[in-house]
Amino acid sequence: MDIRAILAGLAFALIWSSAFTSARIIVAYAPPILSLSLRFLISGLIGIALARFLGQTWRLTPGQWRATIVFGLCQNALYLGLNFVAMQTVEASLASIIASTMPLAVGLAGWVIFRERLSALGVLGLCAGAGGVALIMGARMQAGADFYGIALCFIAVASLTVATLMVRGASSGGNLLMIVGLQMLVGAGFLVIPGLMFDQPEVTWSGKLVLAFSYTVLMPGLVATFIWFWLVQRIGAVKAATFHFLNPFFGVLIAAVLLGETLSVWDIVGVVIIMVGILSVQMARQTLQ
């Protein structure tokens, strides 16, 4: 892994983790599903325009189209849609911690469903990650965290796991920026109807809302997604996913600094355990390749 990949991975982890804080701000002022659909529409149109300017085409291979649609549905519509709804009642730090367990879910799915080999280090990593999550969930539930919102976050992780398993098919064959833009439009399309059905179309305009929405459109929406696809192409999905071990730390840190969310000792201990678990699982998967 060269220095460019390392810097790109760090940038991805930081931007990806910050999306929970900006989303928490957005849902405090605007309807969650419709806001997310509009974000995807704008991000997608910008991405496609830039791709066309760079000479890329939307004539994708059948495999790319299938993977792009599944990725747009699972990551954008389901994963982010469920998280946006959940963060009306769940703090950004907790949502980011739950979402950061995705590499553990991928490792578990590969081991249990696809019968992939996993070393003792990987099994210990899965157990440590599960223990860290249980520790945080127990403390948060005792403090009155919303069970419904937490359940939505875990369903979202399952959707992101499916999207991650599909990303290799979406990122191969060129037209990377075009694929990013198209999967944003897929997400926007899937969210319109539930947004119109369930959202209350009331917006409280503020500078915070405009800034958070603009940031979310450009950085997590376009830049982080492009960096992720680029990393998968350059170093492979397993090595790229290693950078997810930083997401719990970055997620709680950004939420604490920008939103003033408080963290307990159990949160900190649990985050460290989850980080160790994620890193262990990813190291174990790399040694088996």
Side-chain angles (χ1 to χ4, degrees):
M1 191 182 301
D2 57 28
I3 187 64
R4 290 180 63 189
I6 293 174
L7 293 176
L10 292 174
F12 165 77
L14 183 62
I15 297 171
W16 190 90
S17 301
S18 70
F20 295 92
T21 294
S22 61
R24 178 74 168 167
I25 295 172
I26 291 171
V27 300
Y29 295 96
I33 303 176
L34 290 176
S35 297
L36 187 59
S37 180
L38 180 60
R39 168 206 153 173
F40 286 142
L41 177 63
I42 297 173
S43 297
L45 292 176
I46 292 174
I48 290 173
L50 289 174
R52 293 297 295 164
F53 177 77
L54 295 173
Q56 295 185 17
T57 177
W58 43 57
R59 295 177 181 174
L60 308 180
T61 66
Q64 285 180 319
W65 275 117
R66 286 192 300 270
T68 300
I69 292 171
V70 172
F71 196 85
L73 170 63
C74 292
Q75 173 175 283
N76 295 338
L78 293 177
Y79 165 70
L80 289 174
L82 291 170
N83 268 299
F84 262 60
V85 173
M87 276 188 286
Q88 294 178 107
T89 57
V90 173
E91 291 186 334
S93 57
L94 181 56
S96 67
I97 290 170
I98 297 173
S100 68
T101 62
M102 183 273 295
L104 299 174
V106 172
L108 181 62
W111 184 37
V112 175
I113 299 175
F114 299 106
R115 304 298 180 183
E116 295 178 357
R117 290 188 303 131
L118 195 62
S119 66
L121 176 63
V123 175
L124 288 175
L126 288 175
C127 294
V133 172
L135 187 65
I136 294 173
M137 289 300 105
R140 291 294 185 111
M141 293 301 292
Q142 287 185 350
D146 179 53
F147 178 79
Y148 176 70
I150 291 174
L152 291 181
C153 289
F154 276 107
I155 296 172
V157 169
S159 300
L160 182 59
T161 300
V162 175
T164 301
L165 295 174
M166 293 294 297
V167 72
R168 184 182 298 273
S171 60
S172 60
N175 295 314
L176 183 56
L177 188 55
M178 179 62 72
I179 292 172
V180 171
L182 289 172
Q183 55 96 6
M184 293 288 177
L185 293 188
V186 170
F190 276 115
L191 288 171
V192 168
I193 294 178
L196 293 174
M197 291 176 60
F198 301 112
D199 271 352
Q200 297 294 326
E202 298 176 0
V203 179
T204 303
W205 291 101
S206 70
K208 287 184 178 180
L209 173 61
V210 174
L211 182 60
F213 186 82
S214 300
Y215 174 83
T216 305
V217 166
L218 295 175
M219 298 304 290
L222 281 174
V223 176
T225 306
F226 181 84
I227 291 174
W228 174 249
F229 280 135
W230 181 86
L231 271 176
V232 170
Q233 280 189 330
R234 188 174 183 87
I235 63 176
V238 173
K239 290 183 179 179
T242 303
F243 290 100
H244 278 287
F245 93 96
L246 294 170
N247 290 330
F249 171 74
F250 283 148
V252 299
L253 177 63
I254 295 170
V257 172
L258 297 182
L259 300 179
E261 294 184 3
T262 58
L263 298 174
S264 68
V265 174
W266 297 117
D267 289 329
I268 297 173
V269 173
V271 164
V272 172
I273 294 174
I274 293 171
M275 291 174 65
V276 171
I278 293 172
L279 187 59
S280 299
V281 170
Q282 294 307 121
M283 289 176 62
R285 294 180 71 200
Q286 288 184 41
T287 58
L288 292 176
Q289 283 192 327

